[in-house]
Every structure is written in C-alpha cells, then in structure tokens.
mmCIF file of all heavy atoms in Angstrom:
data_model
loop_
_atom_site.group_PDB
_atom_site.id
_atom_site.type_symbol
_atom_site.label_atom_id
_atom_site.label_comp_id
_atom_site.label_asym_id
_atom_site.label_seq_id
_atom_site.Cartn_x
_atom_site.Cartn_y
_atom_site.Cartn_z
ATOM 1 N N ASN A 56 -10.274 -2.212 11.734
ATOM 2 C CA ASN A 56 -10.333 -3.633 11.438
ATOM 3 C C ASN A 56 -11.607 -4.255 11.925
ATOM 4 O O ASN A 56 -12.151 -5.211 11.367
ATOM 5 C CB ASN A 56 -9.115 -4.396 11.963
ATOM 6 C CG ASN A 56 -7.879 -4.088 11.135
ATOM 7 O OD1 ASN A 56 -7.944 -4.000 9.951
ATOM 8 N ND2 ASN A 56 -6.725 -4.003 11.843
ATOM 9 N N ALA A 57 -12.154 -3.683 13.023
ATOM 10 C CA ALA A 57 -13.391 -4.174 13.576
ATOM 11 C C ALA A 57 -14.602 -3.850 12.721
ATOM 12 O O ALA A 57 -15.699 -4.360 12.890
ATOM 13 C CB ALA A 57 -13.650 -3.625 14.982
ATOM 14 N N LEU A 58 -14.429 -2.987 11.682
ATOM 15 C CA LEU A 58 -15.491 -2.672 10.767
ATOM 16 C C LEU A 58 -15.829 -3.889 9.832
ATOM 17 O O LEU A 58 -16.873 -3.918 9.249
ATOM 18 C CB LEU A 58 -15.112 -1.476 9.868
ATOM 19 C CG LEU A 58 -14.952 -0.125 10.574
ATOM 20 C CD1 LEU A 58 -14.457 0.913 9.574
ATOM 21 C CD2 LEU A 58 -16.287 0.293 11.184
ATOM 22 N N SER A 59 -14.866 -4.782 9.768
ATOM 23 C CA SER A 59 -15.014 -6.037 8.998
ATOM 24 C C SER A 59 -15.309 -5.770 7.518
ATOM 25 O O SER A 59 -16.201 -6.337 6.871
ATOM 26 C CB SER A 59 -16.174 -6.882 9.564
ATOM 27 O OG SER A 59 -15.922 -7.235 10.913
ATOM 28 N N VAL A 60 -14.506 -4.841 6.914
ATOM 29 C CA VAL A 60 -14.522 -4.666 5.460
ATOM 30 C C VAL A 60 -13.974 -5.953 4.878
ATOM 31 O O VAL A 60 -12.887 -6.390 5.262
ATOM 32 C CB VAL A 60 -13.693 -3.461 5.033
ATOM 33 C CG1 VAL A 60 -13.753 -3.289 3.532
ATOM 34 C CG2 VAL A 60 -14.190 -2.195 5.720
ATOM 35 N N PRO A 61 -14.657 -6.645 3.954
ATOM 36 C CA PRO A 61 -14.253 -7.941 3.485
ATOM 37 C C PRO A 61 -12.840 -7.999 2.977
ATOM 38 O O PRO A 61 -12.398 -7.203 2.173
ATOM 39 C CB PRO A 61 -15.247 -8.217 2.323
ATOM 40 C CG PRO A 61 -16.424 -7.380 2.624
ATOM 41 C CD PRO A 61 -15.880 -6.148 3.295
ATOM 42 N N ASP A 62 -12.075 -9.001 3.487
ATOM 43 C CA ASP A 62 -10.739 -9.303 3.035
ATOM 44 C C ASP A 62 -9.722 -8.170 3.305
ATOM 45 O O ASP A 62 -8.628 -8.188 2.746
ATOM 46 C CB ASP A 62 -10.685 -9.635 1.520
ATOM 47 C CG ASP A 62 -11.558 -10.826 1.169
ATOM 48 O OD1 ASP A 62 -11.576 -11.736 1.946
ATOM 49 O OD2 ASP A 62 -12.189 -10.781 0.081
ATOM 50 N N VAL A 63 -10.087 -7.185 4.124
ATOM 51 C CA VAL A 63 -9.259 -6.016 4.340
ATOM 52 C C VAL A 63 -8.635 -5.980 5.726
ATOM 53 O O VAL A 63 -9.326 -6.291 6.739
ATOM 54 C CB VAL A 63 -10.093 -4.704 4.111
ATOM 55 C CG1 VAL A 63 -9.423 -3.500 4.693
ATOM 56 C CG2 VAL A 63 -10.309 -4.496 2.608
ATOM 57 N N GLU A 64 -7.378 -5.577 5.792
ATOM 58 C CA GLU A 64 -6.724 -5.345 7.063
ATOM 59 C C GLU A 64 -6.030 -3.995 7.010
ATOM 60 O O GLU A 64 -5.295 -3.719 6.046
ATOM 61 C CB GLU A 64 -5.693 -6.453 7.398
ATOM 62 C CG GLU A 64 -4.955 -6.223 8.737
ATOM 63 C CD GLU A 64 -3.855 -7.243 9.003
ATOM 64 O OE1 GLU A 64 -3.665 -8.094 8.093
ATOM 65 O OE2 GLU A 64 -3.246 -7.161 10.071
ATOM 66 N N TYR A 65 -6.294 -3.181 8.018
ATOM 67 C CA TYR A 65 -5.659 -1.868 8.131
ATOM 68 C C TYR A 65 -4.406 -1.932 8.986
ATOM 69 O O TYR A 65 -4.407 -2.600 10.031
ATOM 70 C CB TYR A 65 -6.576 -0.871 8.747
ATOM 71 C CG TYR A 65 -7.822 -0.546 7.971
ATOM 72 C CD1 TYR A 65 -9.001 -1.252 8.213
ATOM 73 C CD2 TYR A 65 -7.884 0.511 7.028
ATOM 74 C CE1 TYR A 65 -10.200 -0.986 7.521
ATOM 75 C CE2 TYR A 65 -9.050 0.801 6.356
ATOM 76 C CZ TYR A 65 -10.182 0.076 6.605
ATOM 77 O OH TYR A 65 -11.339 0.391 5.935
ATOM 78 N N LYS A 66 -3.360 -1.257 8.585
ATOM 79 C CA LYS A 66 -2.156 -1.143 9.357
ATOM 80 C C LYS A 66 -1.745 0.329 9.459
ATOM 81 O O LYS A 66 -1.637 0.994 8.439
ATOM 82 C CB LYS A 66 -1.008 -1.953 8.742
ATOM 83 C CG LYS A 66 -1.197 -3.473 8.911
ATOM 84 C CD LYS A 66 0.032 -4.234 8.421
ATOM 85 C CE LYS A 66 -0.115 -5.723 8.635
ATOM 86 N NZ LYS A 66 -0.172 -6.129 10.061
ATOM 87 N N ILE A 67 -1.577 0.816 10.662
ATOM 88 C CA ILE A 67 -1.252 2.243 10.860
ATOM 89 C C ILE A 67 -0.018 2.329 11.745
ATOM 90 O O ILE A 67 0.047 1.681 12.771
ATOM 91 C CB ILE A 67 -2.414 2.999 11.545
ATOM 92 C CG1 ILE A 67 -3.711 2.892 10.737
ATOM 93 C CG2 ILE A 67 -2.065 4.506 11.700
ATOM 94 C CD1 ILE A 67 -4.919 3.504 11.407
ATOM 95 N N GLU A 68 0.931 3.085 11.294
ATOM 96 C CA GLU A 68 2.150 3.241 12.112
ATOM 97 C C GLU A 68 2.796 4.619 11.907
ATOM 98 O O GLU A 68 2.627 5.259 10.892
ATOM 99 C CB GLU A 68 3.136 2.148 11.757
ATOM 100 C CG GLU A 68 3.557 2.145 10.302
ATOM 101 C CD GLU A 68 4.411 0.958 9.915
ATOM 102 O OE1 GLU A 68 4.583 0.042 10.750
ATOM 103 O OE2 GLU A 68 4.910 0.938 8.770
ATOM 104 N N LYS A 69 3.557 5.036 12.910
ATOM 105 C CA LYS A 69 4.273 6.288 12.814
ATOM 106 C C LYS A 69 5.534 6.043 11.948
ATOM 107 O O LYS A 69 6.124 4.963 12.001
ATOM 108 C CB LYS A 69 4.691 6.807 14.178
ATOM 109 C CG LYS A 69 3.544 7.198 15.096
ATOM 110 C CD LYS A 69 2.844 8.414 14.547
ATOM 111 C CE LYS A 69 1.728 8.837 15.470
ATOM 112 N NZ LYS A 69 0.985 9.998 14.932
ATOM 113 N N THR A 70 5.868 7.009 11.127
ATOM 114 C CA THR A 70 7.012 6.885 10.274
ATOM 115 C C THR A 70 7.913 8.142 10.371
ATOM 116 O O THR A 70 7.485 9.183 10.820
ATOM 117 C CB THR A 70 6.590 6.708 8.806
ATOM 118 O OG1 THR A 70 5.808 7.850 8.363
ATOM 119 C CG2 THR A 70 5.734 5.440 8.605
ATOM 120 N N LEU A 71 9.108 7.988 9.835
ATOM 121 C CA LEU A 71 10.028 9.062 9.754
ATOM 122 C C LEU A 71 10.584 9.062 8.310
ATOM 123 O O LEU A 71 11.202 8.096 7.909
ATOM 124 C CB LEU A 71 11.192 8.984 10.732
ATOM 125 C CG LEU A 71 12.242 10.091 10.719
ATOM 126 C CD1 LEU A 71 11.615 11.415 11.110
ATOM 127 C CD2 LEU A 71 13.383 9.744 11.585
ATOM 128 N N LYS A 72 10.310 10.111 7.547
ATOM 129 C CA LYS A 72 10.768 10.141 6.150
ATOM 130 C C LYS A 72 11.349 11.491 5.851
ATOM 131 O O LYS A 72 10.750 12.545 6.096
ATOM 132 C CB LYS A 72 9.559 9.869 5.192
ATOM 133 C CG LYS A 72 9.928 9.607 3.794
ATOM 134 C CD LYS A 72 8.712 9.175 2.982
ATOM 135 C CE LYS A 72 8.169 7.820 3.432
ATOM 136 N NZ LYS A 72 7.038 7.351 2.633
ATOM 137 N N MET A 73 12.537 11.512 5.335
ATOM 138 C CA MET A 73 13.290 12.715 4.982
ATOM 139 C C MET A 73 13.335 13.615 6.227
ATOM 140 O O MET A 73 13.303 14.868 6.121
ATOM 141 C CB MET A 73 12.590 13.428 3.854
ATOM 142 C CG MET A 73 12.452 12.669 2.576
ATOM 143 S SD MET A 73 14.086 12.274 1.846
ATOM 144 C CE MET A 73 14.558 13.878 1.224
ATOM 145 N N GLY A 74 13.451 13.014 7.428
ATOM 146 C CA GLY A 74 13.619 13.804 8.643
ATOM 147 C C GLY A 74 12.342 14.339 9.202
ATOM 148 O O GLY A 74 12.361 15.053 10.223
ATOM 149 N N VAL A 75 11.184 14.016 8.625
ATOM 150 C CA VAL A 75 9.888 14.547 9.091
ATOM 151 C C VAL A 75 9.008 13.361 9.515
ATOM 152 O O VAL A 75 8.888 12.350 8.846
ATOM 153 C CB VAL A 75 9.174 15.350 7.952
ATOM 154 C CG1 VAL A 75 7.833 15.854 8.474
ATOM 155 C CG2 VAL A 75 10.053 16.484 7.503
ATOM 156 N N THR A 76 8.438 13.463 10.705
ATOM 157 C CA THR A 76 7.574 12.442 11.210
ATOM 158 C C THR A 76 6.175 12.522 10.562
ATOM 159 O O THR A 76 5.726 13.581 10.179
ATOM 160 C CB THR A 76 7.382 12.505 12.747
ATOM 161 O OG1 THR A 76 6.830 13.786 13.069
ATOM 162 C CG2 THR A 76 8.723 12.355 13.431
ATOM 163 N N GLY A 77 5.560 11.397 10.527
ATOM 164 C CA GLY A 77 4.156 11.335 9.908
ATOM 165 C C GLY A 77 3.537 10.034 10.287
ATOM 166 O O GLY A 77 4.013 9.272 11.123
ATOM 167 N N THR A 78 2.452 9.770 9.596
ATOM 168 C CA THR A 78 1.691 8.548 9.842
ATOM 169 C C THR A 78 1.492 7.776 8.535
ATOM 170 O O THR A 78 1.107 8.445 7.512
ATOM 171 C CB THR A 78 0.334 8.818 10.466
ATOM 172 O OG1 THR A 78 0.522 9.469 11.753
ATOM 173 C CG2 THR A 78 -0.492 7.565 10.690
ATOM 174 N N SER A 79 1.722 6.469 8.520
ATOM 175 C CA SER A 79 1.541 5.660 7.360
ATOM 176 C C SER A 79 0.315 4.783 7.558
ATOM 177 O O SER A 79 0.187 4.091 8.596
ATOM 178 C CB SER A 79 2.752 4.791 7.141
ATOM 179 O OG SER A 79 2.495 3.767 6.201
ATOM 180 N N VAL A 80 -0.617 4.806 6.610
ATOM 181 C CA VAL A 80 -1.788 3.934 6.613
ATOM 182 C C VAL A 80 -1.622 2.937 5.402
ATOM 183 O O VAL A 80 -1.498 3.386 4.257
ATOM 184 C CB VAL A 80 -3.051 4.687 6.508
ATOM 185 C CG1 VAL A 80 -4.257 3.705 6.325
ATOM 186 C CG2 VAL A 80 -3.273 5.520 7.767
ATOM 187 N N ARG A 81 -1.646 1.680 5.706
ATOM 188 C CA ARG A 81 -1.575 0.699 4.627
ATOM 189 C C ARG A 81 -2.792 -0.215 4.721
ATOM 190 O O ARG A 81 -3.309 -0.528 5.756
ATOM 191 C CB ARG A 81 -0.297 -0.169 4.741
ATOM 192 C CG ARG A 81 0.958 0.581 4.536
ATOM 193 C CD ARG A 81 2.173 -0.341 4.488
ATOM 194 N NE ARG A 81 2.325 -1.039 5.746
ATOM 195 C CZ ARG A 81 2.629 -2.336 5.906
ATOM 196 N NH1 ARG A 81 2.711 -3.101 4.806
ATOM 197 N NH2 ARG A 81 2.757 -2.853 7.090
ATOM 198 N N VAL A 82 -3.289 -0.557 3.530
ATOM 199 C CA VAL A 82 -4.466 -1.443 3.445
ATOM 200 C C VAL A 82 -4.009 -2.719 2.789
ATOM 201 O O VAL A 82 -3.507 -2.713 1.664
ATOM 202 C CB VAL A 82 -5.647 -0.806 2.649
ATOM 203 C CG1 VAL A 82 -6.762 -1.827 2.425
ATOM 204 C CG2 VAL A 82 -6.172 0.417 3.388
ATOM 205 N N LEU A 83 -4.188 -3.847 3.470
ATOM 206 C CA LEU A 83 -3.880 -5.148 2.909
ATOM 207 C C LEU A 83 -5.192 -5.784 2.485
ATOM 208 O O LEU A 83 -6.164 -5.782 3.227
ATOM 209 C CB LEU A 83 -3.159 -6.045 3.969
ATOM 210 C CG LEU A 83 -1.890 -5.505 4.575
ATOM 211 C CD1 LEU A 83 -1.255 -6.545 5.489
ATOM 212 C CD2 LEU A 83 -0.891 -5.091 3.506
ATOM 213 N N VAL A 84 -5.201 -6.286 1.274
ATOM 214 C CA VAL A 84 -6.376 -7.020 0.720
ATOM 215 C C VAL A 84 -5.966 -8.473 0.549
ATOM 216 O O VAL A 84 -5.070 -8.769 -0.204
ATOM 217 C CB VAL A 84 -6.846 -6.414 -0.590
ATOM 218 C CG1 VAL A 84 -8.045 -7.154 -1.129
ATOM 219 C CG2 VAL A 84 -7.159 -4.931 -0.433
ATOM 220 N N LYS A 85 -6.594 -9.333 1.281
ATOM 221 C CA LYS A 85 -6.215 -10.754 1.300
ATOM 222 C C LYS A 85 -4.757 -10.939 1.625
ATOM 223 O O LYS A 85 -4.056 -11.738 1.022
ATOM 224 C CB LYS A 85 -6.608 -11.452 -0.031
ATOM 225 C CG LYS A 85 -8.090 -11.501 -0.277
ATOM 226 C CD LYS A 85 -8.414 -12.253 -1.582
ATOM 227 C CE LYS A 85 -9.934 -12.319 -1.784
ATOM 228 N NZ LYS A 85 -10.237 -13.033 -3.043
ATOM 229 N N GLY A 86 -4.220 -10.097 2.514
ATOM 230 C CA GLY A 86 -2.878 -10.204 2.979
ATOM 231 C C GLY A 86 -1.881 -9.521 2.081
ATOM 232 O O GLY A 86 -0.651 -9.521 2.405
ATOM 233 N N GLU A 87 -2.300 -8.908 0.997
ATOM 234 C CA GLU A 87 -1.367 -8.262 0.063
ATOM 235 C C GLU A 87 -1.664 -6.741 -0.013
ATOM 236 O O GLU A 87 -2.813 -6.336 -0.005
ATOM 237 C CB GLU A 87 -1.496 -8.896 -1.349
ATOM 238 C CG GLU A 87 -1.127 -10.343 -1.409
ATOM 239 C CD GLU A 87 -1.265 -10.867 -2.838
ATOM 240 O OE1 GLU A 87 -1.580 -10.072 -3.731
ATOM 241 O OE2 GLU A 87 -1.013 -12.082 -3.030
ATOM 242 N N GLU A 88 -0.595 -5.991 -0.109
ATOM 243 C CA GLU A 88 -0.754 -4.559 -0.264
ATOM 244 C C GLU A 88 -0.756 -4.183 -1.737
ATOM 245 O O GLU A 88 0.045 -4.636 -2.506
ATOM 246 C CB GLU A 88 0.409 -3.801 0.455
ATOM 247 C CG GLU A 88 0.269 -2.313 0.427
ATOM 248 C CD GLU A 88 1.353 -1.604 1.215
ATOM 249 O OE1 GLU A 88 2.232 -2.302 1.708
ATOM 250 O OE2 GLU A 88 1.276 -0.368 1.342
ATOM 251 N N GLU A 89 -1.746 -3.343 -2.137
ATOM 252 C CA GLU A 89 -1.810 -2.903 -3.471
ATOM 253 C C GLU A 89 -0.892 -1.711 -3.605
ATOM 254 O O GLU A 89 -1.116 -0.693 -2.923
ATOM 255 C CB GLU A 89 -3.265 -2.566 -3.841
ATOM 256 C CG GLU A 89 -4.163 -3.763 -3.729
ATOM 257 C CD GLU A 89 -5.240 -3.733 -4.722
ATOM 258 O OE1 GLU A 89 -5.642 -2.664 -5.166
ATOM 259 O OE2 GLU A 89 -5.706 -4.791 -5.121
ATOM 260 N N GLU A 90 0.053 -1.809 -4.508
ATOM 261 C CA GLU A 90 1.035 -0.742 -4.641
ATOM 262 C C GLU A 90 0.512 0.396 -5.508
ATOM 263 O O GLU A 90 -0.221 0.175 -6.429
ATOM 264 C CB GLU A 90 2.330 -1.296 -5.277
ATOM 265 C CG GLU A 90 3.010 -2.385 -4.477
ATOM 266 C CD GLU A 90 4.182 -2.959 -5.215
ATOM 267 O OE1 GLU A 90 5.272 -2.368 -5.113
ATOM 268 O OE2 GLU A 90 4.023 -3.939 -5.924
ATOM 269 N N SER A 91 1.004 1.571 -5.195
ATOM 270 C CA SER A 91 0.740 2.710 -6.069
ATOM 271 C C SER A 91 2.038 2.997 -6.789
ATOM 272 O O SER A 91 3.055 3.334 -6.174
ATOM 273 C CB SER A 91 0.298 3.926 -5.244
ATOM 274 O OG SER A 91 0.160 5.029 -6.099
ATOM 275 N N VAL A 92 2.028 2.913 -8.113
ATOM 276 C CA VAL A 92 3.243 3.115 -8.877
ATOM 277 C C VAL A 92 2.982 4.146 -9.972
ATOM 278 O O VAL A 92 1.858 4.379 -10.380
ATOM 279 C CB VAL A 92 3.729 1.784 -9.507
ATOM 280 C CG1 VAL A 92 4.110 0.808 -8.448
ATOM 281 C CG2 VAL A 92 2.712 1.215 -10.478
ATOM 282 N N ASP A 93 4.045 4.754 -10.445
ATOM 283 C CA ASP A 93 3.899 5.627 -11.624
ATOM 284 C C ASP A 93 3.461 4.828 -12.810
ATOM 285 O O ASP A 93 3.785 3.614 -12.940
ATOM 286 C CB ASP A 93 5.260 6.264 -11.945
ATOM 287 C CG ASP A 93 5.598 7.371 -11.015
ATOM 288 O OD1 ASP A 93 4.657 8.078 -10.565
ATOM 289 O OD2 ASP A 93 6.748 7.531 -10.691
ATOM 290 N N VAL A 94 2.751 5.432 -13.683
ATOM 291 C CA VAL A 94 2.424 4.777 -14.964
ATOM 292 C C VAL A 94 3.745 4.544 -15.674
ATOM 293 O O VAL A 94 4.501 5.434 -15.946
ATOM 294 C CB VAL A 94 1.500 5.679 -15.816
ATOM 295 C CG1 VAL A 94 1.252 5.035 -17.158
ATOM 296 C CG2 VAL A 94 0.217 5.960 -15.113
ATOM 297 N N HIS A 95 4.033 3.287 -15.902
ATOM 298 C CA HIS A 95 5.388 2.903 -16.317
ATOM 299 C C HIS A 95 5.359 1.763 -17.300
ATOM 300 O O HIS A 95 4.737 0.767 -17.057
ATOM 301 C CB HIS A 95 6.174 2.490 -15.052
ATOM 302 C CG HIS A 95 7.629 2.141 -15.335
ATOM 303 N ND1 HIS A 95 8.572 3.036 -15.694
ATOM 304 C CD2 HIS A 95 8.213 0.936 -15.344
ATOM 305 C CE1 HIS A 95 9.732 2.414 -15.858
ATOM 306 N NE2 HIS A 95 9.538 1.143 -15.651
ATOM 307 N N GLU A 96 6.035 1.971 -18.406
ATOM 308 C CA GLU A 96 6.128 0.862 -19.368
ATOM 309 C C GLU A 96 7.216 -0.089 -18.945
ATOM 310 O O GLU A 96 8.360 0.270 -18.798
ATOM 311 C CB GLU A 96 6.453 1.436 -20.737
ATOM 312 C CG GLU A 96 5.388 2.250 -21.378
ATOM 313 C CD GLU A 96 4.164 1.427 -21.811
ATOM 314 O OE1 GLU A 96 4.344 0.213 -21.957
ATOM 315 O OE2 GLU A 96 3.072 1.998 -21.929
ATOM 316 N N HIS A 97 6.835 -1.365 -18.742
ATOM 317 C CA HIS A 97 7.825 -2.371 -18.350
ATOM 318 C C HIS A 97 8.596 -2.848 -19.571
ATOM 319 O O HIS A 97 8.237 -2.668 -20.704
ATOM 320 C CB HIS A 97 7.102 -3.550 -17.702
ATOM 321 C CG HIS A 97 6.577 -3.221 -16.351
ATOM 322 N ND1 HIS A 97 7.126 -3.753 -15.221
ATOM 323 C CD2 HIS A 97 5.546 -2.445 -15.965
ATOM 324 C CE1 HIS A 97 6.461 -3.307 -14.150
ATOM 325 N NE2 HIS A 97 5.529 -2.528 -14.570
ATOM 326 N N GLU A 98 9.676 -3.557 -19.273
ATOM 327 C CA GLU A 98 10.478 -4.094 -20.347
ATOM 328 C C GLU A 98 9.699 -5.065 -21.216
ATOM 329 O O GLU A 98 9.977 -5.224 -22.409
ATOM 330 C CB GLU A 98 11.763 -4.775 -19.785
ATOM 331 C CG GLU A 98 12.705 -3.782 -19.157
ATOM 332 C CD GLU A 98 13.904 -4.471 -18.587
ATOM 333 O OE1 GLU A 98 13.964 -5.736 -18.695
ATOM 334 O OE2 GLU A 98 14.789 -3.790 -18.086
ATOM 335 N N HIS A 99 8.672 -5.711 -20.633
ATOM 336 C CA HIS A 99 7.918 -6.688 -21.375
ATOM 337 C C HIS A 99 6.719 -6.028 -22.007
ATOM 338 O O HIS A 99 5.867 -6.676 -22.594
ATOM 339 C CB HIS A 99 7.502 -7.889 -20.529
ATOM 340 C CG HIS A 99 6.969 -7.504 -19.168
ATOM 341 N ND1 HIS A 99 5.750 -6.849 -19.010
ATOM 342 C CD2 HIS A 99 7.503 -7.668 -17.937
ATOM 343 C CE1 HIS A 99 5.563 -6.647 -17.735
ATOM 344 N NE2 HIS A 99 6.606 -7.100 -17.069
ATOM 345 N N GLY A 100 6.630 -4.694 -21.982
ATOM 346 C CA GLY A 100 5.760 -3.959 -22.878
ATOM 347 C C GLY A 100 4.397 -3.626 -22.367
ATOM 348 O O GLY A 100 3.594 -3.096 -23.103
ATOM 349 N N HIS A 101 3.989 -3.932 -21.120
ATOM 350 C CA HIS A 101 2.630 -3.572 -20.668
ATOM 351 C C HIS A 101 2.721 -2.318 -19.843
ATOM 352 O O HIS A 101 3.743 -1.989 -19.289
ATOM 353 C CB HIS A 101 1.973 -4.737 -19.975
ATOM 354 C CG HIS A 101 2.351 -4.888 -18.501
ATOM 355 N ND1 HIS A 101 3.539 -5.405 -18.120
ATOM 356 C CD2 HIS A 101 1.733 -4.460 -17.348
ATOM 357 C CE1 HIS A 101 3.624 -5.420 -16.793
ATOM 358 N NE2 HIS A 101 2.549 -4.810 -16.299
ATOM 359 N N SER A 102 1.584 -1.674 -19.747
ATOM 360 C CA SER A 102 1.507 -0.408 -18.999
ATOM 361 C C SER A 102 0.753 -0.630 -17.712
ATOM 362 O O SER A 102 -0.323 -1.196 -17.715
ATOM 363 C CB SER A 102 0.829 0.630 -19.858
ATOM 364 O OG SER A 102 0.673 1.853 -19.120
#
C-alpha cells in the first residue's frame, strides 16, 4: 500500500478453503473489488 498505486488498496489474509490453508490477496480499486467470474450470459442478455 505504501507503493501508492493510484486508487489501489491491497488486502492480504490467511484463508482456509476445502481444509487447506493458503493466502488470499485482494486488490480494491476505489474501495471496490473487481470480481473474476466465468464468462456467463445473464438473464438480461449481456456477456
């Protein structure tokens, strides 16, 4: 965070998923996290 990448905040935390420990890194841009989702057609028709 001290690198001062514009509008960016890093969050790092230990996690437990499916019984296995690991590390989660999240990047917030202007306070919002950009989600990674499958390419998916929504009900309203956009991809």
Side-chain angles (χ1 to χ4, degrees):
N56 286 322
L58 294 175
S59 299
V60 181
D62 301 322
V63 163
E64 180 184 3
Y65 296 91
K66 289 187 177 294
I67 305 176
E68 59 187 6
K69 295 294 183 181
T70 60
L71 180 66
K72 191 173 294 183
M73 303 294 289
V75 179
T76 59
T78 299
S79 166
V80 173
R81 294 186 297 136
V82 173
L83 304 184
V84 181
K85 294 183 178 180
E87 297 181 2
E88 183 175 5
E89 300 213 332
E90 298 176 87
S91 176
V92 297
D93 283 325
V94 177
H95 180 73
E96 291 291 339
H97 288 253
E98 291 180 359
H99 44 70
H101 81 283
S102 176

